[in-house]
Amino acid sequence: MFQAGVLPEELEQWRALARRAYERLPEATRAAGVQVLAEGHVEEPVKLLESGYIEARVHSPHRGSAGYIVHGSLRRELTCNCTRQSRCEHVAGVLLRLGSAGVEGDDLRGARVVQGPPQPRLVLLNQQVEASPDGDPGAPDRHVACLEFVYGGVPLHGPSEPPHRQLVEREHERVSVLRDPQAEDRARVSVRQAGFKPIDAGQADRWLLGDELAWAEFLLNGAAQLESRGVEVVQDPSFSLALVEPDEYFAELEPTDNQFFDLEFGVEVAGERMSLLPLLLEALRSDRQLADHGSLVVRLPSGRFTQVPHARVKPLLDVLVELASSEHRGKRKVSRWQAMELAEAIGLESRTGRALRELRGTLTQLSQLSRPELPASFLAKLRDYQWDGLAWLELLGSHGIGAVLADDMGLGKTVQLLAHIAVRKHRGTARGPSLVVAPTSVLVAWREQLEEFAPGLKALLWHGAERHESQDDVESHDIVLTSYALLQRDEELLTGVDWDLAILDEAQAIKNPKTATATVARKLKAQQRIAVTGTPIENHLGELWSQLHFTAPGALGSQRAFTAAFRTPIEKHGNASRMEALRRRVAPLLLRRTKQDVAADLPPKTLISHHIELGEEQRELYEVVRRLVDGQVREEIARRGVALSRIIVLDALLKLRQVCCDPRLVKLARRSEVPSAKRSFFNELLETLLDEGRSVLVFSQFVEMLDLLASDLDRSGVSYARLTGSTRDREAQIQRFQRGEVAVFLISLKAGGVGLNLTAADTVIHYDPWWNPAAETQATDRAHRIGQDKPVFVHRLLAQGTVEEKIVGLQTRKAELAEALLSGSTRALDLDEALIDDLLAPLVP
């Protein structure tokens, strides 16, 4: 009770001030104040004057009748004569007494005092609701969630009002609860985040969720998440939602033709059989995180609900993500590659399932394949990894499956393919000729290796202006070689032949599926399509899709589906599971071995010749120089005879070599305007080698050429060492390379052809090949020597159709003549007009 000196209408004002002062006290102090008041220690009456000044006595068993005196103004601060003077439990008890509404009849003495934090509890039940939050009329028996807060076994509902103390009358006791509004609000936030909406603002303890499917999904997945946030979920006996356990699951793959299968996956519950595919696909389209859910909720035709655990769906997810990404919404067809994956993932035991599993197992067990028998006419000696590649090509070919042979540059992909063609012919399984499409420069290498390793194969070079004269002979050959340019130009003819094998060498030419080249390539008819490339992916995964779309159509789905299911998740989001799914899909269809993988099978040195096609301007310049020097040579021969014209012949050849290297080496006014095809190729090759971690020696006879290459490296930010006749710190440059400080060493013939030990190098590039084979070998031996523990790869750059190719041809056909010509020796040089005519002939078209 009060001893008040204020008007009744002013009393509420002071009570409000008391409540606000109480709320500013620390939580522990407020709780202790409840205890002080509940135990009857605040003595009556409390004086309250008009000015807001109060005075009260608080009994203490420790101070006897003296107790504590609390006094002061409600507008400022109350003080106590205890040791803390203010903000103590005595002040809290007095403020709580002053601020309590209905103080006259609110006697807390004898009550059990309970304080927070509470245990939030969401009770699910059926209850009549007049209207839902969206204004729809309620049903007499609707699912509702009631949020309650349990304090010391006492459940409370509704919002808490200051001073957040509630007296509860129970059958055998009275309980004074000091509520924790912050904890209660946190629980409400968690309930809202679980998808619930309050029925109305005034009764925030009743919540709705949505339709029955939403309630079922909450029971199976959301309830556990809500409980992890500290909100207990219980079901009242009135809650009527029923969940039934599935009896069994079924999965079926039925072939529609050799390439596609109908997929079915579903559940059976109490005799009800239901397909789950539409639900799964829709869930994936709307929620890409399906794999993280515990279960998928399914409404059965009877209206009941069941759950499909994530573990049941997971084996299908990789393929289902592709189907969900397809532009064909109702699609249930899967490719043979998807079907093989599914059959293995779900352990399908049907006849079709076992056959698919066996096929995938066979295609992925490369080490268990037997070596095919090579015909005696095939002269190459295959290394172990090349035998494996041949067996793999044979296996895929026997099933009519295309392949991407993506071995690292220099590992003999051409030899493996020639062996494949030879074996098919020898076995009698070849149906028609094989077609090889390659850049014009690469056709030279094919022709050389055909002559060296497979002379028994009858080959036709479909090239040149007179090629159509051989049109009737195409199908009488074992192999037809042509270029990408002619593939487009002669589309009608080449796509009209039934080829045994259709091989695209340097298949990055079709990395853009929208180009005319890629479009025509996909029209080729063949028993087996093969893409050959050392760089199956240069920029993005779409390039891999394009090559596999040629070799195994449907293996990666449509371009749109592939982008949605693989490219976007992998390239933009770094999704490891999608990357692993792609790896599994591609594994049976792509074979790639790096130099490091097969190092034990490699010889100490591997020579790789690159035949580079000159651009139009460079070809024109070559012809200008060729005509000029040809006239000079003819004049000199006419004047002095062949025997005395060797010097001018060598000078003429030198000028042509300079045009091949870079037009800037030639002393002509227009030279700086003409781009160098070889220099451009070199820069691309070097970038690839550096990305592979190679250490590279670059040899050139021309110091000025090294200057140009050095300027390119400077622009690219690539550090290098350099050794020419003018290099003063020769040993320092060598040590920079040997210690691995730089990965590129530019060396001139004069300064570095002999006398160097550069075992840190594993790659040699001869930018301008030295026509003397011994000189080229000496340069290569700077890296290929005692102490070298890595295979050495030697790249020789040749300008196609030029004097460079003709001299290299002389190295094998007339080695003595070539050595004499280029070493300056005249004793063995049988230089006649026929040879000069050949060397100075116009460019090969």
Side-chain angles (χ1 to χ4, degrees):
M1 297 178 63
F2 286 120
Q3 179 182 342
V6 296
L7 297 174
E9 57 269 20
E10 296 175 338
L11 183 59
E12 188 55 40
Q13 172 189 346
W14 300 118
R15 283 178 171 166
L17 284 174
R19 287 195 291 268
R20 286 197 290 273
Y22 175 80
E23 288 297 321
R24 289 195 293 269
L25 294 174
E27 182 178 340
T29 302
R30 297 200 308 268
V34 172
Q35 194 71 29
V36 166
L37 184 62
E39 293 176 355
H41 295 319
V42 178
E43 297 184 3
E44 303 291 353
V46 176
K47 289 183 180 180
L48 174 60
L49 303 180
E50 184 177 358
S51 62
Y53 179 86
I54 67 170
E55 183 178 306
R57 184 182 297 275
V58 180
H59 173 71
S60 170
H62 306 294
R63 290 176 63 90
S65 59
Y68 295 101
I69 303 298
V70 175
H71 63 94
S73 172
L74 288 173
R75 294 185 182 278
R76 296 180 180 84
E77 187 176 42
L78 301 184
T79 60
C80 178
N81 63 349
C82 70
T83 56
R84 280 180 288 171
Q85 297 184 351
S86 65
R87 302 175 70 81
C88 62
E89 67 271 23
H90 314 119
V91 171
V94 171
L95 287 173
L96 185 58
R97 182 70 179 87
L98 287 171
S100 299
V103 171
E104 296 291 342
D106 189 7
D107 187 357
L108 297 179
R109 282 176 290 187
R112 177 167 65 95
V113 178
V114 177
Q115 61 188 48
Q119 170 59 60
R121 184 165 62 192
L122 192 67
V123 181
L124 312 183
L125 68 158
N126 279 25
Q127 194 176 83
Q128 185 173 354
V129 180
E130 294 182 359
S132 65
D134 55 11
D136 292 339
D141 189 23
R142 189 167 188 174
H143 303 314
V144 177
C146 289
L147 181 60
E148 59 186 27
F149 306 97
V150 182
Y151 290 85
V154 179
L156 300 180
H157 306 83
S160 173
E161 298 292 341
H164 307 298
R165 181 183 62 80
Q166 187 169 342
L167 184 65
V168 180
E169 298 283 353
R170 293 163 66 90
E171 185 177 354
H172 300 295
E173 67 174 341
R174 300 169 72 241
V175 182
S176 177
V177 180
L178 180 62
R179 297 178 67 168
D180 185 340
Q182 289 80 17
E184 294 179 10
D185 287 342
R186 287 194 296 269
R188 290 188 178 93
V189 170
S190 295
V191 172
R192 191 182 297 272
Q193 289 175 342
F196 288 87
K197 296 180 180 180
I199 292 178
D200 57 61
Q203 288 184 308
D205 285 347
R206 289 204 307 167
W207 305 74
L208 295 178
L209 186 58
D211 61 14
E212 286 200 323
L213 182 59
W215 282 96
E217 288 179 342
F218 172 74
L219 286 179
L220 291 172
N221 301 311
Q225 296 178 17
L226 190 57
E227 290 191 331
S228 70
R229 299 190 190 114
V231 181
E232 182 184 4
V233 179
V234 298
Q235 294 185 43
D236 185 83
S238 66
F239 192 64
S240 61
L241 187 65
L243 292 173
V244 292
E245 289 294 322
D247 295 331
E248 63 178 28
Y249 297 88
F250 60 89
E252 298 168 354
L253 282 168
E254 293 297 331
T256 58
D257 54 42
N258 189 42
Q259 297 296 329
F260 291 95
F261 295 76
D262 278 332
L263 171 64
E264 186 57 277
F265 175 74
V267 64
E268 187 170 312
V269 181
E272 291 185 77
R273 187 176 170 95
M274 181 179 179
S275 172
L276 296 178
L277 276 183
L279 294 171
L280 292 171
L281 294 176
E282 190 55 40
L284 285 167
R285 291 184 184 112
S286 60
D287 178 15
R288 296 295 173 186
Q289 299 303 315
L290 176 66
D292 295 332
H293 291 350
S295 296
L296 178 72
V297 181
V298 178
R299 187 198 297 268
L300 299 168
S302 63
R304 294 179 298 174
F305 292 90
T306 190
Q307 61 173 314
V308 180
H310 168 247
R312 289 286 185 176
V313 179
K314 185 177 181 180
L316 292 83
L317 275 178
D318 288 336
V319 171
L320 293 183
V321 167
E322 293 180 68
L323 294 183
S325 303
S326 171
E327 53 268 42
H328 305 296
R329 286 270 168 161
K331 180 181 177 183
R332 294 190 184 185
K333 282 188 181 300
V334 296
S335 69
R336 177 163 54 158
W337 320 106
Q338 293 169 321
M340 284 193 291
E341 210 168 290
L342 285 170
E344 182 180 53
I346 61 182
L348 201 59
E349 289 299 332
S350 65
R351 179 179 178 182
T352 299
R354 288 194 299 271
L356 288 167
R357 294 206 325 272
E358 290 172 5
L359 176 58
R360 178 174 171 80
T362 301
L363 297 179
T364 53
Q365 298 298 319
L366 189 63
S367 61
Q368 298 180 11
L369 299 178
S370 59
R371 294 181 175 183
E373 181 184 354
L374 279 170
S377 59
F378 191 79
L379 306 181
K381 183 179 179 181
L382 299 183
R383 303 182 181 103
D384 287 342
Y385 74 90
Q386 292 173 328
W387 275 111
D388 291 341
L390 171 60
W392 176 74
L393 289 169
E394 286 292 303
L395 171 67
L396 267 61
S398 68
H399 291 281
I401 299 173
V404 177
L405 182 58
D407 283 344
D408 213 348
M409 181 173 56
L411 296 190
K413 295 187 287 292
T414 303
V415 169
Q416 295 174 67
L417 291 162
L418 288 174
H420 185 36
I421 296 170
V423 167
R424 290 177 69 87
K425 181 187 177 185
H426 179 64
R427 283 180 175 172
T429 56
R431 302 178 188 176
S434 292
L435 174 69
V436 174
V437 185
T440 305
S441 58
V442 177
L443 293 178
V444 178
W446 273 89
R447 212 166 43 199
E448 290 176 349
Q449 295 199 41
L450 267 165
E451 293 172 0
E452 182 177 358
F453 301 128
L457 293 176
K458 187 178 180 182
L460 172 64
L461 179 63
W462 186 260
H463 201 263
E466 292 80 28
R467 63 187 182 278
H468 288 285
E469 295 178 5
S470 305
Q471 181 171 339
D472 294 338
D473 298 329
V474 167
E475 298 194 35
S476 65
H477 287 76
D478 299 313
I479 183 170
V480 175
L481 306 173
T482 193
S483 67
Y484 283 104
L486 293 181
L487 175 65
Q488 293 183 53
R489 197 173 303 166
D490 297 338
E491 172 185 350
E492 184 176 352
L493 169 67
L494 297 176
T495 59
V497 176
D498 290 325
W499 303 102
D500 184 48
L501 305 178
I503 300 170
L504 301 187
D505 199 358
E506 301 295 339
Q508 56 268 33
I510 63 164
K511 64 184 181 181
N512 182 348
K514 297 181 180 179
T515 61
T517 299
T519 301
V520 175
R522 292 194 294 270
K523 295 179 182 178
L524 292 171
K525 295 177 291 184
Q527 299 301 311
Q528 185 184 28
R529 292 176 174 179
I530 302 173
V532 186
T533 175
T535 53
I537 303 172
E538 291 182 310
N539 301 302
H540 54 76
L541 291 174
E543 298 168 353
L544 177 63
W545 179 88
S546 184
Q547 293 170 72
L548 281 168
H549 194 49
F550 166 74
T551 59
L556 295 178
S558 69
Q559 187 176 13
R560 175 179 168 182
F562 177 77
T563 298
F566 292 107
R567 277 196 65 186
T568 299
I570 294 171
E571 295 177 356
K572 293 187 177 180
H573 308 305
N575 190 315
S577 65
R578 298 310 300 150
M579 175 61 86
E580 177 60 21
L582 180 59
R583 188 201 64 76
R584 286 197 303 270
R585 180 68 54 77
V586 170
L589 304 171
L590 183 146
L591 181 62
R592 178 169 176 79
R593 279 82 57 89
T594 67
K595 296 181 179 74
Q596 289 76 15
D597 294 334
V598 299
D601 289 329
L602 288 175
K605 179 173 63 176
T606 301
L607 177 64
I608 307 164
S609 294
H610 302 278
H611 300 266
I612 302 161
E613 187 174 11
L614 302 183
E616 183 176 352
E617 291 182 276
Q618 195 171 4
R619 289 174 63 89
E620 290 175 0
L621 180 61
Y622 183 94
E623 278 299 297
V624 168
V625 175
R626 187 198 63 77
R627 287 194 294 267
L628 176 64
V629 299
D630 183 67
Q632 294 172 344
V633 168
R634 302 300 174 191
E635 181 179 341
E636 184 74 359
I637 290 175
R639 190 170 63 89
R640 304 185 61 186
V642 173
L644 299 177
S645 301
R646 295 184 181 91
I647 294 177
I648 195 168
V649 171
L650 293 175
D651 184 66
L653 298 178
L654 179 67
K655 287 183 171 63
L656 291 178
R657 291 181 63 208
Q658 289 176 325
V659 176
C660 295
C661 289
D662 193 296
R664 289 163 182 76
L665 302 182
V666 185
K667 304 302 184 284
L668 291 176
R670 58 170 293 190
R671 64 194 178 100
S672 62
E673 303 172 2
V674 180
S676 167
K678 185 186 286 192
R679 184 174 166 190
S680 176
F681 180 89
F682 168 84
N683 287 329
E684 292 179 5
L685 173 64
L686 185 62
E687 181 180 1
T688 299
L689 294 172
L690 293 179
D691 287 343
E692 294 175 353
R694 318 295 292 183
S695 295
V696 187
L697 304 181
V698 182
F699 288 98
S700 176
Q701 180 181 349
F702 306 106
V703 174
E704 189 179 353
M705 190 66 241
L706 295 178
D707 292 339
L708 295 175
L709 299 181
S711 67
D712 292 339
L713 294 174
D714 289 335
R715 282 192 294 272
S716 301
V718 176
S719 299
Y720 56 91
R722 177 173 174 160
L723 184 61
T724 67
S726 61
T727 301
R728 294 183 178 180
D729 57 340
R730 177 185 176 97
E731 189 60 27
Q733 293 294 313
I734 294 171
Q735 290 306 315
R736 286 183 69 207
F737 183 81
Q738 284 293 90
R739 288 194 298 262
E741 296 173 11
V742 296
V744 180
F745 201 166
L746 304 178
I747 306 174
S748 69
L749 169 62
K750 182 178 180 181
V754 295
L756 289 178
N757 186 344
L758 299 173
T759 53
D762 55 11
T763 305
V764 177
I765 298 178
H766 295 294
Y767 185 89
D768 39 279
W770 302 332
W771 299 336
N772 182 344
E776 186 173 294
T777 300
Q778 282 181 335
T780 300
D781 284 348
R782 299 315 97 216
H784 177 230
R785 60 193 301 121
I786 298 299
Q788 175 62 269
D789 58 358
K790 300 178 292 294
V792 175
F793 292 83
V794 183
H795 298 264
R796 185 165 54 179
L797 309 189
L798 305 173
Q800 180 187 333
T802 69
V803 67
E804 287 189 338
E805 282 191 336
K806 295 170 184 176
I807 293 298
V808 169
L810 286 176
Q811 286 184 339
T812 55
R813 297 192 302 271
K814 300 180 180 180
E816 184 178 349
L817 174 61
E819 181 177 358
L821 175 64
L822 299 170
S823 66
S825 169
T826 59
R827 287 179 299 173
L829 179 57
D830 184 15
L831 191 63
D832 57 24
E833 289 196 32
L835 176 58
I836 294 173
D837 288 344
D838 183 38
L839 294 173
L840 299 182
L843 273 172
V844 177

